Amino acid sequence: MSRVTRYIAKQIALSLLAVTVGLAALIWLTQSLRFIELVLNRGLSFGVFLRLTGLLLPSFFAVILPITTFVVTLFAYVRLQTDRELVVMRAAGLSDWRLSRPALLIAVLATGVGLFLQLWLVPVSHAAFRTWQFEIRNQMAAVLLQEGVFSAISNDLTVYARLRERDGVLRGILVHDSRETGAPVTILAERGVISATANGPRVTLYDGQRQQMTRAVPPGSPPGTPAEPRLTVLTFSENSLDLARSGRAEDARNRDSRERFVDELLNPDPAENLPERDIRKFRAEGHGRLSSPLTTLSFALVALAAALGSAFRRHGGGLSALTAVLAVVGLLAIGLAVGNLAARDNRFIPLIWLHAIGPGVVAAWMLSGAPGWPRRVPPVPAAAPTAPTLPKREAAA
């Protein structure tokens, strides 16, 4: 590796590491605010919150790595051009492809990292995140009940305990359960004990009252009489209540596309009986996983074509960089549209690969001087008229 290659590659590598980590941390900070209620309302420790949201970082890195590679490559070569270093390197006989070698080396390494993230680390980390989140929201939430607080176990189950003793016994319990549609239940009990079961936590209530609101037609009413609300009150000495949301079929956790490996996305298990819409979505997601790391190399080539393909200008020269930025923004928007289109109809899956590889091929062609593209030949200036020459004899006279 020559000194020029090491010099440029070092600048790009350090900048890429700093920018990628910084941008991922910023995205993590904004996205982790969605889970802050787990700390405030569920009583989780801050360490659990950090470990839970830290599982999202691999997916952030996989998304922003192509963008940061493009930005860092473009910035590095524009700075070299502004400092006249590219002029010196070209004067030393270095071609554009020779100058592009360090950026392409870093881009290939970043593409390899992207493949590792998309093929293994992202599905593993996201599966761990969803599993942990599911347990916190559906299994552990009841254990983390706080005294004197209305704890929303779910959108349709709220539990209040006036006092929680050291041995775990709850005093002064109120439970509002609306999981059964059209028949909400309110339970009051003097005390209760929470126990863990295979299907989630259950609370055993003692010395309480169960109130349920139903709608029924009064007995002896003529036909066509509308149902009226009716309150049913039941006094009990012991009652058991399931606090796990996963006890309902619709609350069972299903693995989404980000939790699955590529082979599971491209060839779904027929035993799962997935709807055709999900199968199309999974196949498009699988091809997107395989092709998205290649956009890192394509975006790097776009940056090189913009920085090295433009002629040197003493003043200005930012138009080519702005054009490259707008082109990549447009490519990102097209990528989202193509992904949604392929998820609805798998016949458009080749567009995913065209979007990933096409910009790199065009940029490499431009970086090579656009061979085959008709060029406008500048007109040859007319020769200036010269004074007539005298014969040798006349000149000697």
Side-chain angles (χ1 to χ4, degrees):
M1 183 183 296
S2 63
R3 290 186 178 181
V4 174
T5 302
R6 289 198 301 268
Y7 172 69
I8 301 177
K10 181 179 179 180
Q11 296 186 39
I12 296 176
L14 294 178
S15 301
L16 179 61
L17 181 62
V19 173
T20 303
V21 172
L23 186 58
L26 179 62
I27 298 176
W28 171 82
L29 181 62
T30 57
Q31 294 296 318
S32 61
L33 295 178
R34 298 184 293 119
F35 306 100
I36 198 67
E37 63 94 12
L38 294 176
V39 177
L40 300 179
N41 298 334
R42 308 291 185 181
L44 296 181
S45 64
F46 190 67
V48 173
F49 167 77
L50 290 179
R51 291 194 296 270
L52 176 66
T53 55
L55 294 173
L56 297 174
L57 285 175
S59 59
F60 297 158
F61 282 115
V63 171
I64 67 176
L65 192 57
I67 302 174
T68 54
T69 303
F70 163 77
V71 172
V72 168
T73 302
L74 182 63
F75 174 78
Y77 280 86
V78 168
R79 189 190 64 80
L80 290 174
Q81 187 178 34
T82 304
D83 295 342
R84 313 297 194 267
E85 295 182 58
L86 286 183
V87 177
V88 177
M89 295 176 187
R90 282 171 170 160
L94 298 181
S95 64
D96 287 344
W97 279 110
R98 181 69 180 275
L99 293 173
S100 304
R101 184 182 300 175
L104 293 177
L105 177 62
I106 299 300
V108 169
L109 293 177
T111 301
V113 173
L115 283 172
F116 170 73
L117 291 172
Q118 293 284 14
L119 299 183
W120 186 78
L121 190 56
V122 168
V124 169
S125 63
H126 192 74
F129 167 78
R130 288 206 62 198
T131 301
W132 202 355
Q133 183 188 29
F134 183 80
E135 292 177 356
I136 290 175
R137 291 185 181 275
N138 302 291
Q139 307 294 332
M140 297 173 58
V143 181
L144 299 175
L145 292 176
Q146 302 179 44
E147 60 180 32
V149 176
F150 286 90
S151 301
I153 305 301
S154 65
N155 295 331
D156 44 22
L157 181 62
T158 303
V159 180
Y160 172 85
R162 176 177 52 84
L163 178 64
R164 182 168 186 168
E165 299 179 352
R166 293 184 177 181
D167 56 359
V169 177
L170 305 177
R171 301 284 183 179
I173 303 173
L174 182 147
V175 179
H176 182 71
D177 185 359
S178 57
R179 289 178 288 186
E180 184 179 350
T181 305
V185 177
T186 301
I187 301 176
L188 304 173
E190 294 185 3
R191 62 188 180 92
V193 178
I194 295 178
S195 58
T197 65
N199 295 325
R202 297 183 64 89
V203 58
T204 303
L205 305 173
Y206 300 94
D207 302 329
Q209 189 179 78
R210 185 178 186 272
Q211 303 175 2
Q212 184 175 17
M213 182 66 69
T214 59
R215 301 185 67 86
V217 178
S221 301
T225 303
E228 299 179 357
R230 181 178 180 181
L231 178 63
T232 302
V233 180
L234 174 66
T235 302
F236 61 86
S237 58
E238 181 178 341
N239 188 19
S240 180
L241 179 66
D242 184 10
L243 296 182
R245 292 173 55 197
S246 57
R248 300 187 303 169
E250 59 268 25
D251 282 327
R253 192 181 77 83
N254 295 321
R255 298 171 63 208
D256 64 9
S257 59
R258 288 178 293 177
E259 295 180 77
R260 301 171 184 262
F261 293 96
V262 173
D263 57 342
E264 297 179 273
L265 294 173
L266 298 179
N267 302 295
D269 187 0
E272 295 187 53
N273 295 323
L274 297 173
E276 185 64 27
R277 181 184 61 182
D278 290 346
I279 294 177
R280 293 194 301 266
K281 178 182 176 182
F282 286 176
R283 287 174 180 167
E285 174 73 16
H287 285 274
R289 290 262 196 93
L290 291 173
S291 62
S292 60
L294 299 179
T295 58
T296 304
L297 185 59
S298 291
F299 287 178
L301 284 169
V302 171
L304 290 171
L308 298 177
S310 59
F312 171 74
R313 293 180 176 84
R314 185 180 298 272
H315 301 288
L319 181 60
S320 58
L322 179 61
T323 303
V325 171
L326 294 178
V328 169
V329 171
L331 288 173
L332 292 174
I334 293 174
L336 294 176
V338 167
N340 293 330
L341 186 62
R344 290 195 294 267
D345 191 345
N346 288 161
R347 291 178 298 177
F348 295 100
I349 285 178
L351 294 179
I352 297 178
W353 291 95
L354 180 63
H355 169 266
I357 302 176
V361 174
V362 174
W365 173 71
M366 295 177 61
L367 198 60
S368 300
W373 186 262
R375 288 179 173 80
R376 180 181 177 183
V377 179
V380 179
T386 57
T389 57
L390 298 176
K392 295 183 178 180
R393 294 180 179 178
E394 295 180 3

